[in-house]
């Protein structure tokens, strides 16, 4: 390094860099700049140019016209969006599956982590963990294929239910709209609960053993220690993940719904992203689809900020 | 030692039973599908298969591997996984190194540019239009370029570099006349191997498992199909067509010996198998990478 530290540890570099210093630093860091410049260009093209594409939401975009010739229509696309019955249906489906997903998918990994944490045998503990993360690494296509087989009228679930005498005739689970949300939510829970418990287990490993020992001396039983030592110890983690999942309530994606839906469950399966996909790309109404996407991003960012603000106000933890 | 109380024993037993239940519900569906894929297709129709095949056969696998696009899809999937992982992880590591350098002039700017993309993105339609404008439709590079760098991976690699590679290491190499490129390639990258291995495996699994980019961008070119997309196609055609049409995706000239259901089960296993082979390594490196980070960080 050409800038030598002085005896008191401060650098000789002036606080406000002048022009000569800038040029010198750039010359010295030319390799660093060279290394990163391609990826800066990449991030601009693939991440920032699409943001500029949001302008399409205020146009009546026609693919055959050049960008300068597009007609500006103001908020027309948004007004049409808020008049569309299908939009409200897809919002209902999105919110329903999000809230069900949060109600089961949020607490159950915490409980699983609490229980895994109580296992004394290290080998059994590791086995349970290894097996429980396994479905996380398997694709949704494979999971959907398995779900279709397991829940088919000839599948194992129907077979067991009939043999136990709970039902008389096989149920076509995948074709029945009433079951669809639950199938999506529980498949997701099955796939991700082990994986989602890792972060809590890591947080629990950070809880000081002395706190547990002190609690034992004070006569606290196992449940008391879980409640008064372990859970407060992992509270920051819980709050961070809760804030992030509230921010993602509208971003539930579409993969699960796309792969698990059938012709008869479309009405309850179409979520906001599938709506955008159908209208925006399927029927070529690019501006309309973009408007729906912009709406989604705005809602998501507002939810995240509100959740972050609430968490700061109530618990003092700040996520962003 | 103090004798355990009754409540303690009850909890121990209940907890072990819950854990056994978790293991069973996680593994059972996979073993069930495996058994079906190894069972005689005509026998499968009779039902009653649990986790062992009743009439063992490999015919489902033979038919699947000969079926239309499968060999080509396997090739494309391996190519995109290999190239995509190499390019993606190397790019992420380079960005991570540059923004881990505290003296870098544009450190703040570059960091913010990448981190901001974690919170807001263009969305489906603008991304789609961009790919179209860049002439990446029905082009192999659409698998690699748009998702090249994940800011999340950059942050993970950077925090590993921050915690386990002392700045003095680079500074002393610089005194010896090494430039930043050499420092990155010869010193920083080898020291980051544990975290690089973990990220490699995650990125590779992501590439192996993706199907939607094939569906959206490459469904016009059968030469660019992938295994997951083929499985998705088989699934969709099985739902929307009648029982008779089920057989249409088998070669009509060959004598039909398998059912689409059994074919799909074999395909499901084939697509999952590489993950199961990689999985023990993910597991090992996962723990390994984390513990090394902790020890070196101190």
């Amino acid at each position: 390094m050409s800038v030598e530290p002085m005896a008191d540890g401060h650098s000789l570099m002036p606080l406000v860099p002048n022009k000569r210093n800038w040029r010198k630093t750039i010359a010295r860091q030319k390799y660093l700049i060279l290394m990163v410049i391609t990826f800066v260009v990449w991030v601009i093209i693939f991440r920032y140019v699409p943001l500029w594409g949001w302008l399409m939401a205020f146009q009546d975009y026609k693919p055959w016209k050049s960008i300068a010739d597009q007609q500006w229509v103001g908020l027309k696309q948004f007004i049409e969006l808020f008049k569309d019955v299908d939009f409200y249906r897809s919002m209902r489906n999105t919110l329903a599956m999000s809230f069900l997903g949060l109600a089961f998918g949020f607490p159950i990994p915490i409980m699983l982590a609490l229980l895994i944490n109580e296992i004394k045998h290290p080998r059994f503990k590791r086995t349970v963990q290894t097996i429980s993360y396994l479905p996380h690494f398997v694709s949704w296509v494979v999971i959907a294929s398995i779900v279709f087989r397991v829940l088919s009228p000839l599948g194992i679930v129907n077979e067991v239910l009939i043999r136990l005498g709970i039902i008389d005739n096989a149920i076509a689970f995948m074709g029945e709209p009433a079951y669809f949300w639950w199938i999506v939510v529980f498949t997701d829970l099955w796939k991700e609960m082990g994986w989602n418990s890792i972060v809590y287990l890591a947080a629990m490993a950070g809880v000081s053993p002395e706190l547990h020992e002190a609690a034992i001396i004070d006569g606290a039983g196992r449940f008391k220690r879980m409640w008064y030592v372990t859970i407060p110890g992992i509270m920051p983690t819980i709050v961070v993940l809760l804030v992030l999942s509230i921010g993602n309530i509208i971003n539930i994606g579409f993969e699960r719904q796309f792969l698990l839906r059938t012709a008869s469950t479309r009405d309850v399966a179409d979520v906001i992203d599938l709506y955008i996909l159908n209208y925006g790309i399927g029927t070529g109404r690019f501006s309309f689809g973009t408007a729906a996407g912009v709406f989604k991003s705005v809602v998501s960012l507002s939810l995240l900020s509100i959740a972050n603000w609430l968490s700061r106000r109530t618990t003092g933890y700040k996520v962003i | 030692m103090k004798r355990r109380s009754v409540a303690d024993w009850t909890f121990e037993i209940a907890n072990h039973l819950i854990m056994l239940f978790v293991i069973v519900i996680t593994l059972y569906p996979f073993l069930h599908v495996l058994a079906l894929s190894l069972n005689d297709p005509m026998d499968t129709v009779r039902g009653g298969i649990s986790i062992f095949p009743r009439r063992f056969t490999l015919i489902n696998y033979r038919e699947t591997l000969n079926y239309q696009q499968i060999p080509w899809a396997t090739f494309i999937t391996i190519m995109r996984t290999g190239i995509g992982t190499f390019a993606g992880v190397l790019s992420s590591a380079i960005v991570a190194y540059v923004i881990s350098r505290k003296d870098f002039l544009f450190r703040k700017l570059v960091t913010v540019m990448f981190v901001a993309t974690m919170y807001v993105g263009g969305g489906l339609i603008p991304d789609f239009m961009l790919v179209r404008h860049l002439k990446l439709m029905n082009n192999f590079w659409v698998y690699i370029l748009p998702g090249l760098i994940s800011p999340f991976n950059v942050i993970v690699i950077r925090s590993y570099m921050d915690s386990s590679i002392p700045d003095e290491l680079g500074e002393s190499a610089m005194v010896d006349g090494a430039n930043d490129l050499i420092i990155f390639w010869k010193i920083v990258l080898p020291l980051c191997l544990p975290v690089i291995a973990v990220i490699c495996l995650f990125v590779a699994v992501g590439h192996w498992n993706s199907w939607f980019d094939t569906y959206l961008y490459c469904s016009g070119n059968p030469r660019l199909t992938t295994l997951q997309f083929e499985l998705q196609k088989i699934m969709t055609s099985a739902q929307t067509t009648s029982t008779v049409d089920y057989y249409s995706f088998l070669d009509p000239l060959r004598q039909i010996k398998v059912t689409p259901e059994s074919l799909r089960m074999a395909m499901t296993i084939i697509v999952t198998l590489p993950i199961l082979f990689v999985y023990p390594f993910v597991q090992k490196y996962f723990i390994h990478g984390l513990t090394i980070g902790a020890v070196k960080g101190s």
Side-chain angles (χ1 to χ4, degrees):
Chain A
M1 296 251 281
S2 59
V3 178
E4 314 243 342
M6 291 190 339
D8 61 350
H10 286 296
S11 148
L12 278 174
M13 186 103 83
L15 281 173
V16 184
N18 57 36
K19 246 190 186 144
R20 252 191 72 225
N21 255 319
W22 266 69
R23 217 175 293 155
K24 250 165 94 185
T25 317
I26 288 180
R28 194 155 37 81
Q29 298 186 337
K30 58 181 183 292
Y31 285 110
L32 285 179
I33 294 169
L34 218 65
M35 281 163 90
V36 85
I37 194 83
T38 328
F39 304 112
V40 169
V41 173
W42 175 87
V43 85
I44 291 171
I45 294 178
F46 284 99
R47 294 292 179 265
Y48 288 97
V49 169
L51 282 179
W52 187 65
W54 278 15
L55 287 179
M56 274 193 299
F58 306 97
Q59 297 173 330
D60 193 11
Y61 185 84
K62 299 278 187 281
W64 56 87
K65 286 189 197 166
S66 79
I67 292 168
D69 293 340
Q70 300 294 341
Q71 194 195 337
W72 291 91
V73 293
L75 293 174
K76 180 179 154 243
Q77 307 288 1
F78 289 93
I79 293 166
E80 258 177 61
L81 181 71
F82 295 130
K83 279 188 192 157
D84 188 10
V85 184
D86 282 351
F87 168 71
Y88 290 101
R89 197 169 47 82
S90 67
M91 278 305 283
R92 178 202 66 187
N93 296 338
T94 306
L95 292 178
M97 280 182 263
S98 270
F99 281 114
L100 285 178
L102 207 58
F104 292 94
F106 195 75
I108 289 178
I110 301 177
M111 291 183 222
L112 182 67
L114 281 171
L115 292 180
I116 290 177
N117 199 41
E118 292 295 321
I119 301 174
K120 304 243 163 49
H121 277 278
R123 189 174 290 175
F124 184 59
K125 190 172 178 175
R126 209 174 321 132
T127 312
V128 172
Q129 279 186 272
T130 309
I131 291 172
S132 71
Y133 325 147
L134 176 65
H136 171 78
F137 292 95
V138 175
S139 76
W140 267 109
V141 182
V142 165
I143 301 287
S145 174
I146 294 174
V147 169
F148 268 105
R149 170 66 215 187
V150 169
L151 293 179
S152 85
L154 297 168
I156 191 79
V157 170
N158 270 306
E159 216 173 286
V160 168
L161 289 177
I162 289 174
R163 216 177 276 175
L164 291 175
I166 296 171
I167 52 172
D168 294 327
N169 295 307
I171 302 171
F173 288 104
M174 302 309 291
E176 181 56 62
Y179 298 131
F180 185 81
W181 291 346
W182 298 101
I183 291 171
V184 168
V185 166
F186 280 101
T187 308
D188 193 44
L189 183 65
W190 175 78
K191 189 177 188 291
E192 303 295 346
M193 69 178 175
W195 182 254
N196 290 343
S197 70
I198 291 183
V199 61
Y200 298 112
L201 281 164
M204 283 173 197
V207 176
S208 150
E210 282 134 43
L211 283 175
H212 278 285
E213 282 156 22
I216 293 174
I217 291 167
D218 290 347
R222 199 196 292 259
F223 292 103
K224 282 244 164 81
R225 269 186 289 131
M226 274 189 200
W227 189 253
Y228 292 108
V229 180
T230 313
I231 291 185
I234 62 170
M235 210 49 176
T237 315
I238 295 180
V239 171
V240 167
L241 291 180
L242 188 64
V243 168
L244 290 178
S245 18
I246 288 172
N248 279 327
I249 274 182
I250 201 169
N251 295 330
I252 64 169
F254 54 87
E255 223 183 341
R256 297 167 288 170
Q257 290 79 9
F258 188 108
L259 293 167
L260 289 169
R261 71 182 176 182
T262 55
S264 51
T265 53
R266 281 206 164 215
D267 274 356
V268 290
D270 282 351
V271 286
I272 191 82
D273 278 316
L274 285 177
Y275 177 82
I276 295 171
L277 202 64
N278 287 343
Y279 279 87
I281 296 172
T283 63
R285 293 172 66 189
F286 297 113
S287 284
F288 187 71
T290 308
V294 170
F295 170 76
K296 204 191 90 172
S297 297
V298 170
V299 171
S300 156
L301 279 178
S302 329
L303 283 174
L304 191 63
S305 329
I306 293 169
N308 190 41
W309 177 80
L310 268 179
S311 124
R312 208 174 44 204
R313 281 295 295 273
T314 53
T315 63
Y317 299 124
K318 206 174 98 183
V319 178
I320 322 164
Chain B
M1 251 192 105
K2 211 179 77 180
R3 255 191 76 225
R4 287 187 184 180
S5 68
V6 180
D8 235 20
W9 271 112
T10 324
F11 178 85
E12 281 294 297
I13 292 167
N15 196 17
H16 277 76
L17 286 176
I18 294 170
M19 291 305 139
L20 279 179
F21 175 72
V22 170
I23 291 175
V24 169
I25 58 162
T26 308
L27 290 184
Y28 188 89
F30 290 107
L31 295 174
H32 179 57
V33 169
L34 181 65
L36 289 169
S37 75
L38 290 169
N39 198 50
D40 182 74
M42 297 307 155
D43 181 63
T44 299
V45 180
R46 284 172 41 222
I49 305 282
S50 178
I51 58 169
F52 298 105
R54 195 162 43 207
R55 290 180 60 186
F56 181 85
T57 175
L58 287 174
I59 188 175
N60 299 317
Y61 287 92
R62 211 166 51 223
E63 288 295 323
T64 309
L65 291 173
N66 288 325
Y67 166 64
Q68 291 174 6
Q69 305 289 334
I70 303 301
W72 190 257
T74 312
F75 172 69
I76 294 292
T77 310
I78 291 171
M79 288 300 282
R80 77 166 285 182
T81 305
I83 298 174
T85 307
F86 178 78
V89 175
L90 186 63
S91 313
S92 304
I94 291 173
V95 175
Y97 170 65
V98 173
I99 62 173
S100 79
R101 282 282 300 267
K102 284 164 199 76
D103 57 327
F104 180 49
L105 197 56
F106 306 108
R107 181 179 191 236
K108 259 255 162 73
L109 178 72
V110 175
T111 310
V112 168
M113 278 182 92
F114 277 90
V115 171
T117 64
M118 281 162 72
Y119 296 100
V120 66
L124 267 171
I125 310 287
D127 285 350
F128 178 81
M129 303 300 278
L130 178 73
V131 165
R132 244 176 44 162
H133 276 290
L134 294 174
K135 304 269 183 290
L136 286 172
M137 294 293 275
N138 295 311
N139 182 328
F140 177 78
W141 293 100
V142 79
Y143 292 143
I144 313 293
L145 288 177
L148 185 70
I149 298 176
S150 136
F152 181 76
N153 292 344
V154 172
I155 302 289
V156 171
I157 301 173
R158 195 202 61 182
S159 20
Y160 188 87
M161 287 172 176
D162 283 347
S163 69
S164 58
I165 301 175
D167 292 339
E168 297 81 43
L169 217 57
E171 281 162 22
S172 66
M174 194 128 7
V175 171
D176 293 341
N179 66 39
D180 293 313
L181 258 155
I182 294 173
I183 294 174
F184 169 72
W185 190 252
K186 292 257 167 82
I187 299 174
V188 175
L189 205 56
L191 283 174
C192 286
L193 229 48
V195 72
I196 296 288
V198 176
I199 299 290
C200 264
L201 291 159
F202 282 122
V203 174
V205 167
H207 271 288
W208 183 269
N209 280 346
S210 67
W211 60 280
F212 189 70
D213 42 13
T214 316
Y215 169 84
L216 195 60
Y217 300 127
C218 295
S219 41
N221 186 352
R223 299 301 269 177
L224 289 175
T225 189
T226 50
L227 279 175
Q228 303 281 350
F229 181 58
E230 287 300 312
L231 177 60
Q232 191 264 331
K233 274 196 328 203
I234 293 177
M235 257 170 54
T236 323
S237 67
Q239 286 159 40
T240 50
T241 51
S242 69
T243 327
V244 186
D245 292 335
Y246 270 4
Y247 297 91
S248 64
F249 53 75
L250 294 174
D251 190 336
L253 295 175
R254 296 222 313 267
Q255 210 195 338
I256 294 155
K257 293 189 218 92
V258 300
T259 60
E261 183 80 3
S262 294
L263 203 92
R264 184 160 64 86
M265 293 301 108
M267 184 73 181
T268 306
I269 295 297
I270 290 170
V271 169
T272 317
L273 226 49
I275 302 279
L276 296 186
F277 278 124
V278 175
Y279 189 61
F281 298 100
V282 183
Q283 186 62 24
K284 200 180 113 198
Y285 271 109
F286 200 65
I287 296 162
H288 201 62
L290 289 178
T291 45
I292 281 186
V295 173
K296 283 234 178 96
S298 60

